[in-house]
């Protein structure tokens, strides 16, 4: 039987406040994240943990933006705990992978910068967050929306 690995992208942007004298729209960010977490992130993560435990050949990969992880920490920290448990459940058979990516799910790799400073900074920021939350460094990288450039 051919190997199939399921891949899911977890991203939530921070919404800007419609009033120009304010920056982030805290109420909307919290409300939307909690609603999506309740309907999707929490039950799906629990389901994947069950699948990984029950089926040693089941593999899954997640790309999680830094803004998603920040909001999870702020608004539903139990989601971080579930993601930690999911990773641990698949550790023995290497069934769960969390990818490295840009922190802000950004287009920084396309910037006109020969040193790619912003891009490298965002990848480093994301890697540090994954290390802090999950205790390891990702081994694979996924650029925003799977963008590619020869540079």
């Amino acid at each position: 039987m051919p190997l199939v690995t399921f891949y899911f992208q977890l991203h939530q942007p921070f919404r800007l406040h419609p009033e120009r004298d304010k920056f982030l729209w805290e109420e909307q960010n919290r409300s939307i994240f909690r609603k999506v977490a309740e309907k999707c992130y929490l039950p799906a993560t629990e389901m994947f943990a069950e699948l990984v435990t029950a089926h040693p050949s089941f593999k899954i990969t997640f790309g999680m933006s830094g803004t998603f992880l920040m909001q999870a920490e702020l608004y539903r920290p139990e989601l971080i705990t579930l993601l930690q448990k999911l990773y641990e459940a698949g550790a023995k058979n290497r069934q769960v992978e969390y990818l490295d990516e840009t922190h802000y799910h950004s287009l920084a790799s396309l910037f006109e910068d020969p040193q790619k400073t912003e891009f490298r900074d965002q990848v480093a920021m994301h890697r540090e967050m994954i290390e802090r939350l999950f205790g390891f460094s990702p081994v694979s990288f996924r650029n925003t929306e799977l963008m590619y450039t020869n540079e």
Side-chain angles (χ1 to χ4, degrees):
M1 175 182 282
L3 172 67
V4 175
T5 300
F6 293 97
Y7 166 76
F8 293 91
Q9 174 63 38
L10 305 176
H11 171 64
Q12 281 293 321
F14 278 103
R15 286 146 189 88
L16 300 178
H17 203 285
E19 295 176 25
R20 291 180 172 252
D21 61 331
K22 298 178 181 176
F23 182 51
L24 295 178
W25 201 355
E26 179 64 23
E27 302 81 21
Q28 278 291 92
N29 290 322
R30 180 178 38 256
S31 172
I32 290 169
F33 192 90
R34 286 182 175 171
K35 180 173 137 185
V36 175
E38 197 65 37
K39 290 184 174 193
C40 177
Y41 299 141
L42 292 165
T45 304
E46 289 172 352
M47 177 192 67
F48 290 136
E50 291 171 11
L51 285 169
V52 163
T53 302
H55 305 282
S57 61
F58 179 79
K59 296 185 181 245
I60 190 161
T61 301
F62 286 91
M64 299 178 281
S65 70
T67 57
F68 165 82
L69 293 169
M70 290 168 69
Q71 289 183 68
E73 282 188 294
L74 286 169
Y75 309 131
R76 292 306 295 257
E78 66 272 27
L79 179 54
I80 298 293
T81 303
L82 274 176
L83 288 165
Q84 291 165 339
K85 289 179 180 177
L86 171 60
Y87 187 80
E88 290 167 11
K92 178 182 174 189
N93 296 318
R94 297 175 50 173
Q95 294 168 262
V96 179
E97 181 176 20
Y98 293 162
L99 300 178
D100 212 358
E101 62 179 72
T102 59
H103 185 78
Y104 297 107
H105 195 69
S106 74
L107 304 177
S109 66
L110 301 178
F111 292 1
E112 293 283 335
D113 173 13
Q115 303 302 314
K116 299 293 182 201
T117 305
E118 176 67 22
F119 175 72
R120 290 173 186 270
D121 287 350
Q122 283 197 37
V123 173
M125 185 186 308
H126 185 267
R127 186 171 297 141
E128 289 167 8
M129 181 170 251
I130 294 288
E131 287 172 354
R132 179 176 60 80
L133 294 175
F134 303 106
F136 69 90
S137 291
V139 296
S140 300
F141 176 81
R142 184 201 74 94
N143 202 0
T144 304
E145 303 304 328
L146 297 174
M147 287 187 304
Y148 174 78
T149 174
N150 286 332
E151 296 171 7

